[in-house]
Structure formats: structure tokens, C-alpha cells
């Protein structure tokens, strides 16, 4: 794990620069628009509002008895928001090294700073929305202490997304086809996760397929916290930590083997 420890130390030593880069990326995402950074929050807010309006208010659709909640819109909101955060982080982190290629070729900056910048920028946008969602759901559960579990879960999702995004960024630098493959996987991945339906509705013989999606465990954790006011089951924590350990090991191997060629690939 020496390589990934060295990467973490590089980020810590350049933490002031990372924060400056993060703020610049947030500003650059909507540069030239009158709404500025507000547009970054408007898209996910309008999306979840549409889910609630269409499925709960207009059609009043309901899930089965084994679902965490009966209201379809409320169920979709809880899963869709972290999924959007995951997709945004992965997409931007994956492209971060290619976008910074000319800068990395001219300066000795550690490449890890740029996936970290993209992941933090996405977190600055989506984490407050997740916390606001917890506040909105709190009265439904009598302000249960279990709602506090959303904080470590958001941090675990950030770690998971950063590790995967950095790993994919290296692959994308070496082979640009990675971007197309990952874009397709993200578009279909929502159908292989408990975002659109409870796990109980998926055929039992094939439920293991859902756990191949790294976001399935965090989503079940959010559903337990926000829809039921309960602490997530230990499996949600264990599977999420397992994915983080797996990605950390893979990233260590890839970073150590690509360090000398990475700049040339860019």
C-alpha cells in the first residue's frame, strides 16, 4: 500500500492548492452563466422535485409491502440523489488527468491532485443536498439519532468515488476507450442497483448481481436512514468498506506501475 499512502501524503502536503483548485473547478462549471454556481444545485434539486411531483403527487404510485416506503417518489429521491453524485464524481474524476494533461507535462504537480479536485468539487455540491434531505426526512422519524449515520455514509461514498475515479482516470489516460465504456456502464448501472426498486423486488436468484454495483450498498444505507429512520444494516457498511479496500488495492498496483508512463500518455 506504499503507493497509495504516498498519494495521500502528496494531497495533504498540497491541501491548500487542492482547495484552490476545487473552488476554481466549481466556478468553471458554470462560467459565463448568470446563475453561476446556483446551476450546480438547481439540476439535482429539480430532478428530485420532478420525481416527487410525478410519482407521489400526480400518479400517487405505491410500492409493495416489503419496500422501505410505499411512496414511489420518496423512494426514488433517496436513491437517485446519491447516484447522481456518484456519476458526477466518476465522470469528472475520470477525465481530470486528460483535461490537466498539458499542465502536468509542464509542471511537477502530483497527478492525484486533479481527481481529488474533481471529487471534492462534486462533494461540495451534493453533500449539502444529502444533508438537507436528511433534515427534511427527520420529522418523519421523530428526529431519530440514526439520521446522523448519513455523515459517515457520505464520507464513505466520497472515498469510494475518489478511488474509483482516480483508477479510471489512469485507465482513460492509457486508453481513451475507457471513457466510452464507463459512460455506458453508468447509464445502465442505475438499473442494476436498488435505486429504482427495492432489492426485495429483484429475483432472489439474481440479487447477487446488484452487489456487483459499488453503489448498491451505500444506497441501501441511505434508504434505511432516510426512509426508515434506522441505522443501516451491517452488510451496507461491510460491503462498502469491502469495495473501498478492493479499489485501494487495485489503485496501489496501478499507480505504482503507471507512474513513469502517465505523463507520456497524456
Amino acid at each position: 500500500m506504499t503507493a497509495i499512502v504516498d498519494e495521500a501524503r502528496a494531497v495533504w502536503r498540497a491541501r491548500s492548492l487542492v482547495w484552490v483548485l476545487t473552488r476554481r473547478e466549481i466556478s468553471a462549471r458554470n462560467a459565463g452563466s448568470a446563475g453561476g454556481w446556483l446551476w450546480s444545485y438547481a439540476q439535482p434539486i429539480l430532478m428530485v422535485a420532478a420525481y416527487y411531483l410525478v410519482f407521489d403527487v400526480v400518479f400517487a404510485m405505491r410500492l409493495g409491502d416489503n419496500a422501505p416506503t410505499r411512496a414511489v417518489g420518496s423512494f426514488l429521491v433517496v436513491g437517485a440523489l446519491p447516484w447522481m453524485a456518484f456519476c458526477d464524481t466518476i465522470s469528472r474524476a475520470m477525465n481530470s488527468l486528460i483535461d490537466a494533461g498539458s499542465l502536468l507535462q509542464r509542471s511537477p504537480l502530483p497527478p492525484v491532485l486533479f481527481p481529488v479536485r474533481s471529487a471534492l468539487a462534486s462533494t461540495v455540491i451534493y453533500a449539502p443536498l444529502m444533508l438537507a434531505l436528511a433534515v427534511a426526512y427527520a420529522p418523519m422519524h421523530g428526529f431519530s439519532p440514526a439520521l446522523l449515520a448519513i455523515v459517515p455514509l457520505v464520507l464513505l461514498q466520497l472515498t469510494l468515488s475518489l478511488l474509483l475515479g482516480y483508477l479510471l482516470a489512469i485507465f482513460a489516460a492509457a486508453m481513451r476507450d475507457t471513457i466510452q465504456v464507463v459512460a455506458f456502464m453508468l447509464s445502465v448501472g442505475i438499473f442494476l442497483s436498488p435505486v429504482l426498486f427495492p432489492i426485495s423486488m429483484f429475483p432472489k436468484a439474481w440479487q447477487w448481481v446488484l452487489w456487483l454495483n459499488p453503489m448498491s450498498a451505500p444506497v441501501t444505507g441511505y434508504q434505511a436512514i432516510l426512509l426508515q429512520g434506522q441505522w443501516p444494516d451491517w452488510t451496507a457498511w461491510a460491503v462498502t468498506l469491502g469495495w473501498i479496500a478492493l479499489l485501494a488495492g487495485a489503485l496501489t498496483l496501478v499507480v505504482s506501475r503507471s507512474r513513469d508512463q502517465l505523463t507520456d500518455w497524456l
Side-chain angles (χ1 to χ4, degrees):
M1 301 294 286
T2 303
I4 198 170
V5 171
D6 291 341
E7 298 290 273
R9 288 174 177 169
V11 172
W12 177 253
R13 287 194 296 267
R15 57 190 181 276
S16 298
L17 175 60
V18 170
W19 180 238
V20 172
L21 292 174
T22 301
R23 287 187 298 174
R24 287 183 177 178
E25 172 154 340
I26 295 174
S27 300
R29 289 187 182 187
N30 298 287
S33 62
W37 58 269
L38 291 176
W39 286 115
S40 299
Y41 295 94
Q43 181 179 357
I45 290 174
L46 292 175
M47 182 66 71
V48 298
Y51 284 147
Y52 178 78
L53 178 64
V54 172
F55 293 103
D56 285 359
V57 177
V58 178
F59 293 108
M61 297 178 66
R62 295 294 180 261
L63 293 168
D65 294 333
N66 294 326
T69 184
R70 298 296 302 279
V72 172
S74 299
F75 179 85
L76 292 175
V77 166
V78 169
L81 194 56
W83 178 259
M84 286 188 284
F86 175 74
C87 291
D88 187 73
T89 303
I90 295 300
S91 298
R92 295 181 185 278
M94 177 176 59
N95 288 283
S96 61
L97 294 181
I98 296 175
D99 294 340
S102 59
L103 179 59
L104 288 171
Q105 290 172 346
R106 298 194 309 266
S107 66
L109 289 173
V112 66
L113 300 185
F114 296 93
V116 169
R117 173 198 65 179
S118 298
L120 289 177
S122 295
T123 301
V124 167
I125 294 170
Y126 283 93
L129 297 179
M130 292 300 303
L131 297 178
L133 194 62
V135 172
Y137 277 74
M140 298 170 51
H141 309 297
F143 297 92
S144 170
L147 293 168
L148 297 175
I150 197 170
V151 175
L153 195 57
V154 168
L155 294 176
L156 286 177
Q157 180 177 336
L158 168 62
T159 305
L160 174 71
S161 303
L162 173 58
L163 292 173
L164 181 55
Y166 187 16
L167 182 64
L168 292 173
I170 297 174
F171 283 132
M175 186 170 59
R176 299 301 196 269
D177 301 274
T178 302
I179 298 174
Q180 307 302 325
V181 173
V182 173
F184 172 76
M185 294 299 294
L186 291 177
S187 65
V188 301
I190 191 172
F191 300 104
L192 296 175
S193 71
V195 173
L196 302 179
F197 50 82
I199 288 183
S200 59
M201 293 181 64
F202 207 73
K204 282 191 175 182
W206 293 96
Q207 287 184 5
W208 61 271
V209 175
L210 299 182
W211 296 105
L212 298 179
N213 187 329
M215 273 301 292
S216 289
V219 167
T220 59
Y222 289 122
Q223 290 170 349
I225 296 168
L226 299 176
L227 298 178
Q228 299 174 300
Q230 300 175 358
W231 292 92
D233 188 75
W234 68 270
T235 55
W237 301 107
V239 173
T240 303
L241 290 172
W243 268 107
I244 289 174
L246 178 64
L247 291 171
L251 184 59
T252 297
L253 180 63
V254 171
V255 167
S256 61
R257 293 193 175 186
S258 64
R259 185 168 288 161
D260 295 333
Q261 297 86 13
L262 183 58
T263 304
D264 295 331
W265 292 340
L266 299 173

